[in-house]
Amino acid sequence: MQGSDMRALRIFYPYKHLLNPSLPKSLSIPRHVHSVIPLAAEQSSTLSDPEPEPEPTGTAPRVWSTYSNDRNGGQKKPTGVLVDIARSKKKGKEKVSWVCADCGHSDGQWWGLCRQCNAVGTLKRFSDGESEASVSEAASRSWLSQQTGDVRPLRLTDVNRGINQLKWRIPLYGPFGEEVSRVLGGGLVPGSLVLVGGDPGVGKSTLLLQIAALIAEGHDLGRPAPVVYVSGEESVEQIGNRADRMTIGGDELFLYSGTNVEDILNKIQPLSPRVLIVDSIQTVYLNGVAGSAGGISQVKECTSALLCFAKKTNIPVLLVRIGHVTKSGEIAGPRVLEHIVDVVLYMEGERYSSHRLLRSVKNRFGSTDELGVLEMSQSGLQAVLNPSEMFLSEQYSDSDFLAGLAVAVIMDGSRTFLIEIQALCASGSIDSRQVNGIQASRADMIISVLKKQAGLKLQEHAIFLNVVSGVKLTETAGDLAIAAAICSSFLEFPIPNSTAFIGEVGLGGELRMVPRMEKRVNTVAKLGYKICIVPQSAVESLGSQGFEGMEVIGCRNLKEVINSVFRTH
């Protein structure tokens, strides 16, 4: 066939239904033109009929494509002149989202950086396949007798009927249990999903093992209750060794080492536990979900399956989430879990300190203002009865080397703490400043107010500020203590040990009220302090009530504070 004839065939063939051409019988199709749909063996390789045979119903129309020989004389390659119409249709694309590993922000496309926190290189690809949506539900109801069709809407008055709210929660007894119960809002809620996070090695596994031992004792039931502790990181022998070291025992505390969620739920079915603990959520996986254990998809689907299990069986589930706590007080990594679970607990602690802080940042069944203070010992975590002791240094008698120390009264949630602020003013250095535990902008403002309003000549002094025990001072109630510490170091006049400071410092040098003043003053009085310096407006609001022999001194500005505290007797 000539090249012109071939081009004509290629042009007119798609429009044969309009032009209705009659191809001559002598026109033969060369071997290098093939049908996309293979012809039957009995069909001829020539076009003998002017009209093509009708295609079977439901099949793709037959079109043609040309092939050209390879230069090396090998395999023939398609040139793509005419393609199969069925193959040209694009398949449906799965929904793809990009999730930031730092803040958990989700976006529909990749931008190079997170548009929420502006972090670079933290976007992870996450596909939401339709087949994975039902995997978590299937895993949770694999052994449940109650089906979804049996559940019907209930009236609000019928939901809480017959439930004693005082005995609704699972209580935790003892000093340690009371400290954890305070953070949870009064106890563990049946059917809740609790996430415990914190830095590696801070004591999350120890905390949950002690909680499991308390619940397994069954003090509120009058008999032991089964509790299952599942670990995907350690063997049962390792967990048993830790329990022996912490003197934990009990016949109803069961240990299991596994990583398959469906297997875990099947294994605990005969036990009907009162509480299920999974340590950690990054080590378990679900069959049918893409990705390895610890990935965003697996973690999300496993958490959803355990949430469904907890709600349908009324068994509380406690999860461990490993991740460093960021400066903003959040666990580094995807935050998809925080939106699924009911309660989020963060465990904090300094690397070289034995004290641990347990705080709640999300609680659907209580307040998030509570804070638990614990201490890590050889036998496990112990409750700290007087939290202010961990923030105060040893009390010495008044002497020169204690100049620059002041005690501030702060609040974290509903707990009141007394912390010690240290200041050092060294002459000979100009505009040299170092601040630890205090906001730099806040420290600069207080120093400038002391220069302008109090008349202190701090221009030629290097100033160093520090908060004892690594505490981060964030509220303004510690402003007065910061100013008093700087004055004490500058004047080389030690502050008496029995004096505490409460108040905010304004730009005019005036002292301002802070919230919950009465509770702060009561805490100072109970700890045996003799003098408490507060704003004058606070004295008027407190009235004439006594504070167990403590004197409350009201001051209007910083000059009155200096005259009241730094005077010779």
Side-chain angles (χ1 to χ4, degrees):
M1 178 183 292
Q2 300 296 329
S4 59
D5 297 335
M6 188 61 197
R7 285 194 296 271
L9 174 63
R10 289 160 52 188
I11 294 173
F12 289 108
Y13 185 80
Y15 305 95
K16 62 182 184 298
H17 64 284
L18 298 177
L19 302 178
N20 193 19
S22 179
L23 297 177
K25 296 183 179 181
S26 59
L27 181 60
S28 300
I29 305 298
R31 293 183 179 270
H32 61 273
V33 179
H34 301 274
S35 172
V36 174
I37 302 178
L39 298 178
E42 63 272 8
Q43 289 179 334
S44 174
S45 61
T46 61
L47 294 178
S48 58
D49 298 330
E51 294 292 336
E53 297 180 2
E55 299 293 341
T57 306
T59 60
R62 180 182 299 171
V63 294
W64 301 91
S65 62
T66 61
Y67 287 76
S68 61
N69 293 331
D70 193 358
R71 291 183 179 180
N72 299 328
Q75 185 181 1
K76 297 181 179 180
K77 298 180 180 180
T79 58
V81 178
L82 298 175
V83 296
D84 190 357
I85 296 177
R87 293 186 179 181
S88 64
K89 295 181 179 180
K90 295 183 178 179
K91 297 181 180 180
K93 296 182 178 180
E94 60 181 0
K95 184 179 179 181
V96 177
S97 59
W98 296 87
V99 182
C100 177
D102 286 347
C103 66
H105 175 69
S106 178
D107 213 325
Q109 63 182 12
W110 185 82
W111 292 93
L113 54 82
C114 177
R115 298 195 294 175
Q116 182 71 21
C117 62
N118 296 327
V120 180
T122 59
L123 294 180
K124 305 295 183 182
R125 189 178 184 273
F126 178 64
S127 301
D128 294 331
E130 294 182 359
S131 60
E132 299 178 2
S134 60
V135 173
S136 58
E137 296 181 4
S140 61
R141 64 170 181 259
S142 58
W143 58 273
L144 298 178
S145 59
Q146 184 182 25
Q147 301 297 328
T148 306
D150 299 334
V151 181
R152 294 181 177 86
L154 297 177
R155 291 187 180 93
L156 177 61
T157 56
D158 297 336
V159 172
N160 296 329
R161 181 174 299 175
I163 298 178
N164 188 354
Q165 296 295 334
L166 298 178
K167 299 181 180 180
W168 176 48
R169 297 174 181 262
I170 301 176
L172 303 176
Y173 292 92
F176 168 80
E178 293 176 356
E179 199 75 11
V180 178
S181 295
R182 179 189 293 110
V183 181
L184 291 173
L188 191 60
V189 176
S192 62
L193 186 62
V194 181
L195 177 66
V196 181
D199 293 342
V202 74
K204 301 181 295 298
S205 300
T206 302
L207 172 71
L208 292 182
L209 188 59
Q210 290 185 241
I211 293 176
L214 287 178
I215 299 176
E217 293 176 359
H219 291 284
D220 57 320
L221 300 177
R223 55 180 175 81
V227 177
V228 179
Y229 185 98
V230 180
S231 178
E233 302 175 346
E234 299 176 289
S235 63
V236 292
E237 290 79 10
Q238 291 175 318
I239 304 173
N241 292 334
R242 186 191 305 128
D244 292 339
R245 186 174 64 252
M246 299 165 56
T247 64
I248 292 178
D251 296 334
E252 295 299 323
L253 180 56
F254 296 88
L255 306 178
Y256 181 68
S257 180
T259 56
N260 191 320
V261 174
E262 298 180 18
D263 175 68
I264 292 172
L265 298 182
N266 289 330
K267 289 295 175 29
I268 68 174
Q269 176 186 1
L271 300 175
S272 297
R274 198 179 187 191
V275 175
L276 172 63
I277 298 176
V278 179
D279 183 10
S280 67
I281 189 60
Q282 289 127 308
T283 60
V284 296
Y285 68 93
L286 268 175
N287 292 325
V289 179
S292 58
I296 298 178
S297 179
Q298 282 285 357
V299 169
K300 181 179 178 181
E301 293 299 328
C302 291
T303 306
S304 300
L306 294 173
L307 175 67
C308 188
F309 164 80
K311 300 305 179 184
K312 291 183 178 181
T313 60
N314 215 28
I315 298 176
V317 179
L318 282 71
L319 306 177
V320 176
R321 174 77 165 95
I322 302 174
H324 294 279
V325 178
T326 61
K327 295 181 179 179
S328 59
E330 302 170 351
I331 297 181
R335 299 185 60 187
V336 292
L337 297 187
E338 300 183 10
H339 305 290
I340 301 176
V341 300
D342 299 316
V343 181
V344 179
L345 303 180
Y346 286 169
M347 197 169 183
E348 306 172 4
E350 294 294 329
R351 183 176 181 181
Y352 301 105
S353 175
S354 61
H355 293 92
R356 302 290 186 267
L357 300 180
L358 183 66
R359 64 176 74 248
S360 173
V361 297
K362 177 185 178 181
N363 193 350
R364 291 174 177 168
F365 314 108
S367 174
T368 57
D369 293 337
E370 298 294 341
L371 178 70
V373 183
L374 306 170
E375 184 177 6
M376 181 66 73
S377 63
Q378 195 68 21
S379 59
L381 292 169
Q382 305 293 335
V384 178
L385 301 179
N386 184 11
S388 297
E389 293 179 352
M390 57 184 291
F391 301 128
L392 297 175
S393 62
E394 186 177 353
Q395 298 293 324
Y396 299 95
S397 59
D398 298 341
S399 58
D400 293 339
F401 69 85
L402 286 179
L405 303 183
V407 176
V409 184
I410 64 172
M411 295 196 68
D412 195 327
S414 61
R415 305 289 295 272
T416 306
F417 300 95
L418 272 66
I419 63 174
E420 192 174 83
I421 298 177
Q422 302 173 330
L424 175 63
C425 295
S427 60
S429 301
I430 301 177
D431 295 335
S432 179
R433 193 167 300 160
Q434 184 67 35
V435 179
N436 293 323
I438 304 173
Q439 296 180 357
S441 58
R442 199 74 189 173
D444 293 340
M445 186 205 73
I446 296 174
I447 294 173
S448 300
V449 171
L450 288 174
K451 294 178 183 178
K452 179 69 175 180
Q453 307 298 340
L456 298 183
K457 306 297 182 181
L458 300 174
Q459 291 82 357
E460 298 181 357
H461 287 74
I463 301 176
F464 302 89
L465 294 174
N466 180 50
V467 181
V468 176
S469 300
V471 183
K472 304 297 182 181
L473 182 59
T474 56
E475 63 170 338
T476 58
D479 291 353
L480 183 55
I482 297 174
I486 296 174
C487 293
S488 175
S489 178
F490 177 77
L491 300 174
E492 297 182 357
F493 195 107
I495 299 175
N497 294 331
S498 58
T499 304
F501 299 87
I502 308 173
E504 178 183 350
V505 177
L507 291 179
E510 74 280 7
L511 303 186
R512 298 178 176 270
M513 283 272 293
V514 293
R516 303 180 184 179
M517 181 63 73
E518 183 178 354
K519 187 173 184 178
R520 298 174 194 261
V521 177
N522 281 325
T523 302
V524 174
K526 291 179 180 179
L527 293 177
Y529 282 76
K530 303 300 181 182
I531 299 175
C532 185
I533 308 297
V534 299
Q536 183 63 38
S537 56
V539 177
E540 300 173 358
S541 63
L542 293 175
S544 59
Q545 57 179 320
F547 295 99
E548 302 179 3
M550 186 184 67
E551 181 183 3
V552 179
I553 301 177
C555 300
R556 293 181 174 83
N557 49 49
L558 288 177
K559 290 184 178 180
E560 293 186 8
V561 173
I562 295 175
N563 295 331
S564 301
V565 178
F566 305 101
R567 67 172 185 267
T568 56
H569 299 279

